Amino acid sequence: MTLQYNDIVARVEKRLFINRLPESTTEEDVRTILSGVAEPVEIRVLDGRGIAFVTLQTWTECAYAMSTLDRMDVGGSQINVELCALDKADKSATTKALGRGQALGEARLFVGGLPIESTEESVRLLFSPFGDASVRLLPAGHSKCAAGYVSLPSWGAALDAVEQFTAESKTRTEGVKVVFAEERGKGKGKGKGK
C-alpha cells in the first residue's frame, strides 16, 4: 500500500532528530554539520545529551539531510538522522519506517486534472521547482483532462510537490490533483501505477 500525503504528515514532521552527537555539541556545531546541506529554521540542542532537533523548511531538505548526514562521523561517532514523529507514543512500524525515510518509497506521482492540451514538456515545467522531473502522459481518450505520471529526484521533492498542489487545490474548485502513485505492479485500474 502506498501512503498518501495526509497519512505521512499526520505521523512525521519537517524536523530532524539527530542523535549520537558528542555530548559537548552546541547549536553552532549543528549549524556547521548542516552547512551546505540544509538551511535550518530552528535548532534545539539538548545540552550534554548528544541530541539535536532541527526544523527545516522543505521535505526536500529533510530527504537530502537524512541521506547525506545519516551515519556521518562526528567526533568519532556515527550520527543517526531521522524525521521526528508527531506522536512520541506512536511506535508503529510504519511511523518508524517513515522516520528513517524508508516507507516513502518511490518519488513517483500520479497527476490528474491537467489541461487537455498539456504536453510532457509543459508538465515538466510545472514540476520544475521540485527538481528534474521525468513525465509520462497517459492517452487522453474521451477525458476532458490530461493525466499522467511524474517522477521526481527524491521522496522529499515528491512530498513538497504534493504539499504545494494540495494547498493550491483548496483555494479553487478545479485544478491539478497530485497524489503518490501506487508502487509499480501493485495497482489495478485508473490512477494506479502500471
Side-chain angles (χ1 to χ4, degrees), residues 83-116:
L83 292 172
C84 288
L86 287 169
D87 179 358
K88 305 305 175 223
D90 182 357
K91 303 294 184 196
S92 70
T94 300
T95 298
K96 287 181 183 179
L98 277 170
R100 292 186 296 275
Q102 296 170 340
L104 298 167
E106 293 184 58
R108 188 165 171 260
L109 305 171
F110 176 78
V111 183
L114 293 163
I116 195 69

Side-chain angles (χ1 to χ4, degrees), residues 68-154:
T68 304
L69 302 176
D70 192 43
R71 309 273 185 250
M72 173 190 237
D73 185 272
V74 175
S77 178
Q78 288 188 345
I79 63 173
N80 180 51
V81 182
E82 298 180 3
L83 292 172
C84 288
L86 287 169
D87 179 358
K88 305 305 175 223
D90 182 357
K91 303 294 184 196
S92 70
T94 300
T95 298
K96 287 181 183 179
L98 277 170
R100 292 186 296 275
Q102 296 170 340
L104 298 167
E106 293 184 58
R108 188 165 171 260
L109 305 171
F110 176 78
V111 183
L114 293 163
I116 195 69
E117 67 276 3
S118 294
T119 64
E120 288 186 357
E121 186 55 36
S122 68
V123 175
R124 195 174 293 106
L125 185 60
L126 182 65
F127 281 85
S128 65
F130 310 104
D132 188 25
S134 171
V135 176
R136 182 173 64 91
L137 290 178
L138 299 173
H142 298 289
S143 176
K144 294 179 183 176
C145 299
Y149 294 96
V150 173
S151 294
L152 291 168
S154 72

Side-chain angles (χ1 to χ4, degrees), residues 122-194:
S122 68
V123 175
R124 195 174 293 106
L125 185 60
L126 182 65
F127 281 85
S128 65
F130 310 104
D132 188 25
S134 171
V135 176
R136 182 173 64 91
L137 290 178
L138 299 173
H142 298 289
S143 176
K144 294 179 183 176
C145 299
Y149 294 96
V150 173
S151 294
L152 291 168
S154 72
W155 58 260
L159 262 174
D160 285 335
V162 173
E163 184 173 79
Q164 179 175 317
F165 285 105
T166 299
E168 287 177 6
S169 73
K170 290 179 181 176
T171 62
R172 48 179 202 241
T173 56
E174 294 180 18
V176 177
K177 305 287 188 228
V178 181
V179 297
F180 283 94
E182 290 289 328
E183 292 179 38
R184 294 172 199 255
K186 293 200 176 180
K188 292 181 183 172
K190 197 172 189 179
K192 308 292 184 183
K194 293 181 182 179

